[in-house]
Amino acid sequence: MFEFDQYLGFLAFLGILTLGFWLMIFLITFIVPYWIGGSLIERLNEIKEEKKAKRDTATRV
């Protein structure tokens, strides 16, 4: 069967695989949507400020 060092290597492999799996789940479900949502809100605010700046310069002329 397995010798002790092979057993430890196999357990290390399973641990790393499991950590990677849960990290990917966390990134896909929380971090990426937060990142995309924040960038969309920031871009919409920039567009809103650009329109406001254009409107303010148009009324001053």
Side-chain angles (χ1 to χ4, degrees):
M1 193 68 186
F2 283 133
E3 292 182 19
F4 189 69
D5 57 343
Q6 291 176 330
Y7 180 69
L8 288 179
F10 181 68
L11 286 179
F13 170 75
L14 284 180
I16 292 168
L17 183 74
T18 304
L19 287 172
F21 172 76
W22 287 114
L23 178 64
M24 288 301 296
I25 294 296
F26 175 71
L27 288 173
I28 290 170
T29 58
F30 294 106
I31 302 300
V32 172
Y34 181 78
W35 181 29
I36 293 172
S39 64
L40 284 175
I41 290 171
E42 188 175 338
R43 182 64 183 139
L44 290 174
N45 287 339
E46 288 175 2
I47 291 171
K48 186 177 172 183
E49 289 175 5
E50 288 174 6
K51 286 182 181 179
K52 185 178 179 182
K54 284 182 183 178
R55 188 175 54 232
D56 288 345
T57 57
T59 57
R60 289 182 184 168
V61 173

